[in-house]
Amino acid sequence: VTIRHRITIKDVARDASVSQATVSNWLRGQPNGMSAETRERVGASARKLGYRPSGLARGLRGHGTLAIGLIVPSITNPSMPPIIRGAEDRASELGYGVFLSNIDRQWDKAADHALAMVDKGVEAIGFAFSIAGLDAPAATAASSAGVPVGALLPAGSGPIPAGVVGLDNEAGMRQVVDHLWNLGHRRFGFATNTRVTANGPHRRAGLAAALASRGASLDVRNVAEDLTLSRFDEWEEIQSGRRDALSLLATSDRPTAICAVNDLLAIGVVLAAGDLGLRVPEDLSVVGFDELTAGRVLRPPLTTINVPLYEMGRHLVAKVIEPTEKAGLRITPSLVVRGSTGAAPKSTRPRGHRMNDADRRG
Amino acid sequence: VTIRHRITIKDVARDASVSQATVSNWLRGQPNGMSAETRERVGASARKLGYRPSGLARGLRGHGTLAIGLIVPSITNPSMPPIIRGAEDRASELGYGVFLSNIDRQWDKAADHALAMVDKGVEAIGFAFSIAGLDAPAATAASSAGVPVGALLPAGSGPIPAGVVGLDNEAGMRQVVDHLWNLGHRRFGFATNTRVTANGPHRRAGLAAALASRGASLDVRNVAEDLTLSRFDEWEEIQSGRRDALSLLATSDRPTAICAVNDLLAIGVVLAAGDLGLRVPEDLSVVGFDELTAGRVLRPPLTTINVPLYEMGRHLVAKVIEPTEKAGLRITPSLVVRGSTGAAPKSTRPRGHRMNDADRRG
DNA sequence: CTGTTAGCGCTTTCAT
DNA sequence: ATGAAAGCGCTAACAG
């Protein structure tokens, strides 16, 4: 607990009877040669004195600070921890530390946080699913300050810009439609809310596109977008899915399968089905996106799309720290079939069919 | 995207025709007087030039770096995000940035990570539920380097040391026992595993103590501690709870209520009950600890103990950044009654009673 | 191979 | 009320 005066390179130099420069060379693995004898002597002194190089001074002098920034939209979003873990792991392997900043979906805060990180000397900044692309204010602010940025983003179609790790949501929805279509489903619903990540619109569009490629289409009346959600909160997001489902299932020609923008909403859909006395998957199939643990706990367990979040976090960091490649990386998620999807119900209710009381019962 | 040469205090000084010292004074809100005229002129120049002070240089010169470190045992543990969010929020309010480090329950890594943070100039380090107290190697390493440390820890009995935010697990278990006892339960079981946080033993001891205070006791045969868990993983932890329950419920005088060390294990217990054809709560009551969202999704929803994680994260940071008070803070969690607990089953099976086939059936 | 000498951007006496 | 100058701990040319 001795708060001894900080041991500097100078102390080591004096102890080893060499110059600071020599110690400095020793520090970063002798770029130019160095006699083994000296190296050892310096090493011994450093160890003896308990010397630890100051990252601050090193950073100030122009060299790296060995720190990067990671900005997450909402840390309580269950998708984030694996991403952060991946990012931190990779950064750590590369000898970097990570500054974490959570903006709680207040997108306008991103730029400030990014700049604060720049001031602290980060060498790069990664955005975990920011609402917009690399052209968002926060990203441009950082890169115009000379700090490289990278981001996790929906992939969209076309090439992926350098620095971005793109999630191919469309490919995911394609798998969902394949699965459901083979099960006989023809009327699809989509549940989302106004506070989801940038992936939301891509998932909806992906569903519509996959349906279109089979000559079917996503009826706008079968798309529910809850807008009563305020700040992000897992349970609240589940509730938004529940509200969506309630409105989706109130129509006479209700969908036989509902795709939710993510697992949280999907859980809400399953819960709503229970409220309405509908059996899943006999009466209604439900599929989510993201593969959360909560979806496995649900009865029936949720069929969903697995997204390799941990790997994405790793890639994001690798991309910003060592921007070797000039192109981005495309990540394709994959379907995980569990119990919430099954054959479409036999008795399809043609459009315009009148609801009976049993349908109405909650 | 212009990577203009960094604007320094010198540029501002030149532009405003004052000295660096004056700009420096202006920077940190004029400690000594300063003519309003000058202040304004400097401000104008700074704004015009887009000046941003370098945290690195500021830190090097001896003043604060406005950065703290936060070390978490396992970021994918669902209890962590709220803590991190609270910590980050409070730090941010105080103008601090936070370095996050996840050690994935590899406790021996903590010291290295802490030291790495010290090298990066953090002003303090907070440990979110480290396995040991403030006397753990990591904490002593940091504090002997002159960096104050704080931690989230089980409170235990007795006074709480400065810098620690203590969770009173015993108080939580007392509430659990009150609730269950009033429901008629007399045979209690406890499910845990060998990889839980430092709170684990305290929860078990708390249960035993609460029972003892009513003249009852926790039969060691009714304590199951799964040890097949490797790295932390939510689903795996649920499985460990399932295994615990399977062994706990195989006895002829099985407990009528099982308390799990946390919600994840508790979910596993409920799932196991389902596997065995036992109804919850009619045949078995289950209670968890931590109040996770997954527990609300479970059917029946889990009765549990809510821990104010977000607040604890905030307190932890406040304690390490402004170590005003000399004593720690005690946090008392509170019972949340949901559907997994109910009246004890009428037909109690006295010790030694022989199981019938129905009991055996899975 | 190793030592000298300048700074990096900022704070901080000490003068003025 | 403001300025000059000396570093914080380290790196980066150059010299020797």
Side-chain angles (χ1 to χ4, degrees):
Chain A
V1 195
T2 329
I3 307 189
R4 48 186 179 280
H5 188 63
R6 204 186 206 300
I7 305 292
T8 77
I9 205 175
K10 193 175 286 180
D11 300 313
V12 177
R14 186 177 322 111
D15 187 271
S17 315
V18 293
S19 73
Q20 294 184 32
T22 302
V23 180
S24 178
N25 283 345
W26 165 81
L27 241 187
R28 35 183 222 311
Q30 49 293 355
N32 49 9
M34 207 176 148
S35 82
E37 197 272 331
T38 309
R39 182 169 7 199
E40 193 161 318
R41 191 149 42 90
V42 174
S45 295
R47 218 173 353 265
K48 183 179 76 180
L49 266 35
Y51 169 71
R52 306 216 104 224
S54 154
L56 247 37
R58 178 193 144 106
L60 184 56
R61 194 56 188 81
H63 234 59
T65 48
L66 293 183
I68 61 166
L70 180 63
I71 297 186
V72 305
S74 167
I75 194 171
T76 47
N77 177 328
S79 293
M80 288 301 144
I83 293 174
I84 298 172
R85 175 160 167 267
E88 219 263 335
D89 278 3
R90 191 89 187 90
S92 190
E93 286 168 17
L94 296 170
Y96 281 70
V98 8
F99 260 112
L100 182 76
S101 183
N102 165 41
I103 60 173
D104 257 319
R105 298 203 184 186
Q106 296 164 68
W107 309 109
D108 52 308
K109 277 185 160 186
D112 276 350
H113 285 236
L115 254 7
M117 286 177 165
V118 171
D119 294 345
K120 290 198 167 56
V122 296
E123 290 181 45
I125 296 182
F127 293 88
F129 286 127
S130 50
I131 193 62
L134 248 24
D135 53 336
T140 55
S143 63
S144 76
V147 174
V149 300
L152 253 33
L153 253 21
S157 48
I160 299 181
V164 356
V165 175
L167 175 62
D168 193 344
N169 294 288
E170 287 78 2
M173 294 316 286
R174 238 167 359 242
Q175 295 173 60
V176 169
V177 170
D178 283 351
H179 171 61
L180 257 15
W181 192 273
N182 291 339
L183 250 20
H185 292 276
R186 293 298 178 271
R187 281 203 309 281
F188 292 74
F190 187 71
T192 185
N193 69 43
T194 51
R195 311 278 300 186
V196 296
T197 62
N199 290 311
H202 287 264
R203 290 175 187 175
R204 175 183 173 166
L207 172 60
L211 248 20
S213 79
R214 311 192 90 111
S217 70
L218 179 64
D219 191 322
V220 290
R221 285 173 299 176
N222 285 338
V223 173
E225 179 164 23
D226 184 82
L227 26 68
T228 65
L229 195 64
S230 56
R231 200 180 58 57
F232 179 89
D233 171 276
E234 289 181 82
W235 186 250
E236 279 313 308
E237 187 139 3
I238 288 175
Q239 295 311 310
S240 78
R242 196 197 284 251
R243 284 188 290 269
D244 279 345
L246 258 20
S247 85
L248 249 22
L249 297 173
T251 62
S252 57
D253 55 340
R254 62 157 192 257
T256 61
I258 293 182
C259 301
V261 71
N262 64 38
D263 274 15
L264 255 15
L265 282 274
I267 287 170
V269 172
V270 170
L271 260 25
D275 293 345
L276 296 172
L278 292 174
R279 294 162 304 162
V280 174
E282 293 81 356
D283 302 319
L284 176 74
S285 282
V286 180
V287 9
F289 211 118
D290 286 345
E291 202 193 12
L292 303 185
T293 298
R296 292 180 84 163
V297 165
L298 190 71
R299 288 298 100 129
L302 199 61
T303 289
T304 187
I305 293 284
N306 168 277
V307 177
L309 300 168
Y310 175 76
E311 293 304 332
M312 291 178 78
R314 291 184 64 92
H315 285 306
L316 174 62
V317 166
K319 282 243 175 299
V320 299
I321 293 184
E322 308 168 316
T324 50
E325 305 159 43
K326 267 306 162 203
L329 177 67
R330 167 171 267 117
I331 299 287
T332 304
S334 55
L335 182 70
V336 177
V337 177
R338 291 213 249 260
S340 68
T341 46
K346 297 291 182 194
S347 62
T348 53
R349 234 166 293 243
R351 203 169 272 288
H353 182 97
R354 194 170 178 289
M355 286 202 297
N356 58 34
D357 283 356
D359 288 334
R360 281 214 171 80
R361 178 173 40 75
Chain B
V1 193
T2 331
I3 308 188
R4 49 185 178 281
H5 189 63
R6 207 185 205 300
I7 305 292
T8 78
I9 206 176
K10 193 175 285 183
D11 301 312
V12 177
R14 188 179 317 113
D15 187 90
S17 316
V18 293
S19 72
Q20 295 184 33
T22 303
V23 180
S24 177
N25 283 345
W26 164 83
L27 242 188
R28 33 184 224 311
Q30 47 299 354
N32 51 8
M34 205 175 148
S35 85
E37 197 271 332
T38 309
R39 181 169 3 192
E40 193 160 320
R41 193 148 41 88
V42 174
S45 295
R47 218 172 355 264
K48 183 179 75 177
L49 266 34
Y51 170 71
R52 308 215 103 226
S54 152
L56 247 37
R58 178 194 144 106
L60 184 55
R61 195 58 186 78
H63 237 60
T65 48
L66 292 182
I68 60 166
L70 180 65
I71 297 186
V72 305
S74 168
I75 194 171
T76 47
N77 177 327
S79 294
M80 288 302 144
I83 293 174
I84 298 172
R85 175 160 167 266
E88 219 263 334
D89 277 3
R90 190 88 187 91
S92 191
E93 286 167 17
L94 295 171
Y96 281 70
V98 8
F99 260 112
L100 181 77
S101 184
N102 165 41
I103 58 171
D104 257 319
R105 299 203 185 187
Q106 295 164 69
W107 309 108
D108 52 309
K109 277 186 162 187
D112 276 349
H113 285 235
L115 254 7
M117 286 177 165
V118 171
D119 294 343
K120 290 198 167 55
V122 297
E123 291 182 43
I125 295 183
F127 293 88
F129 286 126
S130 50
I131 195 62
L134 247 26
D135 53 338
T140 54
S143 64
S144 75
V147 174
V149 300
L152 254 33
L153 252 24
S157 47
I160 299 182
V164 354
V165 175
L167 176 63
D168 193 344
N169 294 289
E170 287 78 359
M173 294 316 286
R174 247 177 339 251
Q175 296 173 59
V176 169
V177 169
D178 283 350
H179 170 62
L180 256 15
W181 192 274
N182 291 339
L183 251 20
H185 293 275
R186 293 297 179 271
R187 281 205 307 284
F188 293 73
F190 186 71
T192 185
N193 69 43
T194 51
R195 311 277 299 183
V196 298
T197 62
N199 291 310
H202 287 263
R203 291 176 187 173
R204 175 182 174 165
L207 172 60
L211 247 21
S213 78
R214 310 193 90 111
S217 70
L218 179 63
D219 192 323
V220 289
R221 284 173 300 175
N222 284 337
V223 173
E225 179 163 24
D226 184 82
L227 27 69
T228 65
L229 196 64
S230 55
R231 203 181 55 58
F232 180 87
D233 170 277
E234 288 181 83
W235 186 250
E236 279 313 308
E237 188 138 4
I238 289 175
Q239 295 312 310
S240 78
R242 196 195 284 250
R243 284 187 290 269
D244 279 345
L246 258 21
S247 84
L248 249 23
L249 298 173
T251 62
S252 57
D253 56 340
R254 62 158 190 257
T256 61
I258 294 181
C259 300
V261 70
N262 64 38
D263 273 15
L264 255 14
L265 282 276
I267 288 171
V269 172
V270 171
L271 260 24
D275 293 346
L276 296 173
L278 293 175
R279 291 163 305 161
V280 174
E282 293 80 358
D283 302 319
L284 177 74
S285 283
V286 179
V287 9
F289 210 118
D290 286 346
E291 201 192 12
L292 303 186
T293 298
R296 293 180 82 165
V297 165
L298 190 71
R299 287 300 98 129
L302 199 63
T303 289
T304 186
I305 293 285
N306 168 279
V307 177
L309 300 169
Y310 176 77
E311 293 304 333
M312 291 178 78
R314 293 185 62 93
H315 286 306
L316 174 61
V317 166
K319 281 244 175 297
V320 297
I321 293 185
E322 309 167 315
T324 50
E325 306 158 44
K326 267 307 162 205
L329 176 68
R330 167 171 267 117
I331 300 286
T332 304
S334 54
L335 182 70
V336 177
V337 176
R338 290 212 249 261
S340 68
T341 45
K346 296 291 180 193
S347 61
T348 53
R349 235 166 292 245
R351 204 170 272 284
H353 181 98
R354 194 170 179 290
M355 286 201 297
N356 58 33
D357 284 356
D359 287 334
R360 282 216 171 78
R361 177 173 42 76

